[in-house]
Amino acid sequence: MDDVRSVDVLVVGLGPAGASAAHIAARAGLSVLGVERNRLLGEPVQCAEFIPMPMGAYARTGGVLMQRISGMKSVLPSGRVHESGFPGLMIDRAEFDRTIAREADRHGAELWTRARLTTLDAENRVATVRRAGEMRCIRYEVLVAADGPLSPVAAALGMEPLDVVQTRQYTVPLLRPCGDTDIWLSDDYPGGYAWLFPKGSVANLGVGADRRWEDNLKQPLARLHRQLADAGRVGEAVLYRTGGAIPVGGLRGRLVVNRTVFAGDAAGLTHPITGAGIAAAVISGERAGQAAAAYLSGDADAFGDYEEDVRDQFETAVNRAVRRRRELAGYWRTAAANEDGVQRKGWIAFDDYFESAAV
Ligand SMILES: Cc1cc2nc3c(=O)[nH]c(=O)nc-3n(C[C@H](O)[C@H](O)[C@H](O)COP(=O)(O)OP(=O)(O)OC[C@H]3O[C@@H](n4cnc5c(N)ncnc54)[C@H](O)[C@@H]3O)c2cc1C
């Protein structure tokens, strides 16, 4: 093992949460090391690439913004289509992540790729990272766990794994350009939904489902692809294949443990119904970077404040979604799951979702 490195902040995972934490901590003057197991920042892309309008400032750099979205079409099991306003942006997600990482780098954060956290001794604040075949020992004052839905940091701390749903997505040619996202709600996607998000001349076509009811996502995705190709909306080619886990169980019981601050998917901030988590990752990542800086400048309440702020901002919406999932769980793989009324209660585009979900 090589010599021991000492840093103020070690960030594990350089998706939007980790890159944002590294950026803000470095900007505050801390020594920051970010480690990412992938070879390239931002890749492989595991995302449908939609961000809500308030995140627009993060899409200004060249190459990030791909197209504007104005509305959402939610297709119910009967085939009825509900149209709603849903403004946002389609982005190049790899470029989005890299833009944030470049800001971190510009402020002096050191970012390692092909660097995987392998062990963690949180009591003594020492982590081991395998970088390009070599083991490196890192001493830190604060650790930001931004290592995604399956969070190896949480596992190393003996914390419960988060509940997740699985997804599968193809990027396909888009034959008729459009400015809306399409959502399909039915028992074909139990515990999830299907989507078509337009991105200029291509689109991200995906499905998500809960393994308890469906563990083969290939078939429903291929079926939907076939239908849309037959209808002349998309081409038959599959230009890119991806997928991944989305946390759906709500926020972790504790967001800060042993000077380890959880952010983004690792904290369980992703919306359990829509699966949207980019905005929450950036916001919590930046907030984690601030908390690290405040703590290391002597603010003993910094981590408590982080926990409180993040819960204030996300918990109401996330808890409502967790509850809706729980209610829908009783319907999947029964005839009732294909009733429009049941699906309306489980999807954010309908008033029923907000009216009937006690929080
Ligand atoms: C198919 C799919 C579609 C989605 N579509 C959307 C969408 O359209 N809009 C939206 O808002 N959200 C979407 N999401 C959710 C969104 O992608 C996540 O919420 C977001 O990526 C969370 O960011 P993060 O930084 O917390 O985690 P991640 O982006 O998962 O980053 C975590 C990083 O940690 C790294 N890592 C893990 N373990 C280690 C280790 N041991 N050592 C070093 N590095 C490690 C990983 O390689 C990864 O790069 C989608 C998710 C999926 C799976």
Side-chain angles (χ1 to χ4, degrees), residues 37 46-47 148-151 161-170 188-195 205-221 242-249 265 270-275 325:
R37 68 182 172 191
Q46 296 178 285
C47 188
L150 308 177
S151 185
L162 298 174
D163 277 350
V164 295
V165 297
Q166 294 300 327
T167 62
R168 193 177 177 99
Q169 178 179 282
Y170 296 161
D188 288 345
Y189 322 110
Y193 64 94
W195 64 86
L205 174 66
V207 303
D210 190 316
R211 279 227 164 101
R212 280 178 291 172
W213 299 288
E214 178 61 81
D215 61 3
N216 179 353
L217 297 181
K218 202 171 173 181
Q219 281 173 7
L221 180 55
T242 190
I246 296 185
V248 294
D265 275 15
T270 310
H271 194 284
I273 290 284
T274 65
R325 289 188 63 78

Side-chain angles (χ1 to χ4, degrees), residues 13 16-17 36-37 46-50 93 117 146 167 265 275 277-278:
E36 167 55 55
R37 68 182 172 191
Q46 296 178 285
C47 188
E49 305 183 286
F50 175 88
R93 172 67 195 272
L117 174 93
T167 62
D265 275 15
I278 299 171

Side-chain angles (χ1 to χ4, degrees), residues 24 142 261 286-296 299 302-303 305-306:
I24 298 301
V142 175
V261 185
E286 290 183 349
R287 189 66 190 77
Q290 279 171 7
Y295 181 80
L296 293 177
D299 178 356
F303 293 142
D305 291 347
Y306 172 81

